[in-house]
Amino acid sequence: PSTVEQNISNFKSANEITTDISEQGALNMAGMEESRGRIQEIDMQLAALDRAQEYITTRNKSDATLTTLIDLGNHALSGQLKQLITAEEELNRLKQISGPENPKVLALERQISRLRPAIQEGATNYRNNLLATRSAYQRQQGTYSSKLRATPQKEKAFIDITRQQSIKNDIYSYLLEKREENIISMAGL
């Protein structure tokens, strides 16, 4: 291969270009948008988790219940939270009907006292996983962003290399044409 063709090949390898540069830019933009969307989903899950944890920690101080079940994005944790809400609603109902010494009331209080720490531990682990995943998407988004910022320079450099190739091709074609003219003129002598 010629030097210019080798330069194009080297340029594409060095800059990790497997497709057209504009198409590569579009792919990077799509990847960045997908990462941004995932980060927003995780932020919503973290907000729901904050709300659930606030409910769990302040529950001992008030008789309020979490009236709507929050989808936390974690089925096991959401299931435990649903169990807690159901148990607390039943406890409130039973306390109004019977006294605090009712065996069913005591059993529900024990169940609730076991569920709360389990949910808190699960929520903490889930939060840590969400934060780690969020950080990974932020790094990925940064990578795509860097590649997007570099796209114009890469495109300019690639245009310069292809321009050199075009000039060489034009010179080669011109020389071939002149050679044929010389052969024809020499045959006419």
Side-chain angles (χ1 to χ4, degrees), residues 24 31 48 78 90:
Q24 190 94 25
S78 292
E90 180 65 15

Side-chain angles (χ1 to χ4, degrees), residues 17-162:
I17 298 172
T18 56
T19 61
D20 179 75
I21 294 175
S22 298
E23 187 178 325
Q24 190 94 25
L27 290 172
N28 288 329
M29 179 62 95
M32 193 169 91
E33 289 300 319
E34 182 181 342
S35 295
R36 183 178 295 139
R38 299 286 184 176
I39 290 169
Q40 288 174 343
E41 287 174 21
I42 290 171
D43 286 344
M44 289 186 331
Q45 289 174 323
L46 286 168
L49 189 58
D50 287 343
R51 189 169 158 220
Q53 283 187 295
E54 180 183 337
Y55 167 76
I56 293 165
T57 56
T58 60
R59 179 60 180 103
N60 291 333
K61 298 173 188 143
S62 87
D63 284 335
T65 58
L66 191 61
T67 54
T68 58
L69 180 62
I70 305 170
D71 181 17
L72 301 174
N74 179 307
H75 298 297
L77 194 55
S78 292
Q80 286 179 319
L81 188 57
K82 184 176 180 178
Q83 281 181 327
L84 178 66
I85 292 168
T86 303
E88 288 179 340
E89 288 172 350
E90 180 65 15
L91 177 65
N92 288 337
R93 190 185 68 73
L94 279 176
K95 277 184 176 179
Q96 291 174 0
I97 297 172
S98 64
E101 298 301 320
N102 182 319
K104 286 185 178 181
V105 169
L106 296 173
L108 281 171
E109 286 176 343
R110 281 192 302 276
Q111 179 186 2
I112 290 169
S113 68
R114 283 190 311 269
L115 274 172
R116 257 199 196 93
I119 294 171
Q120 281 288 33
E121 182 180 343
T124 299
N125 292 337
Y126 184 50
R127 175 180 302 285
N128 291 337
N129 289 338
L130 284 174
L131 291 173
T133 303
R134 187 178 193 281
S135 292
Y137 279 120
Q138 285 175 321
R139 283 190 303 275
Q140 188 178 52
Q141 188 177 21
T143 299
Y144 285 126
S145 179
S146 295
K147 287 180 179 182
L148 274 172
R149 283 192 304 274
T151 298
Q153 295 91 341
K154 287 180 183 180
E155 199 156 21
K156 183 184 178 303
F158 188 70
I159 288 170
D160 288 343
I161 292 171
T162 55

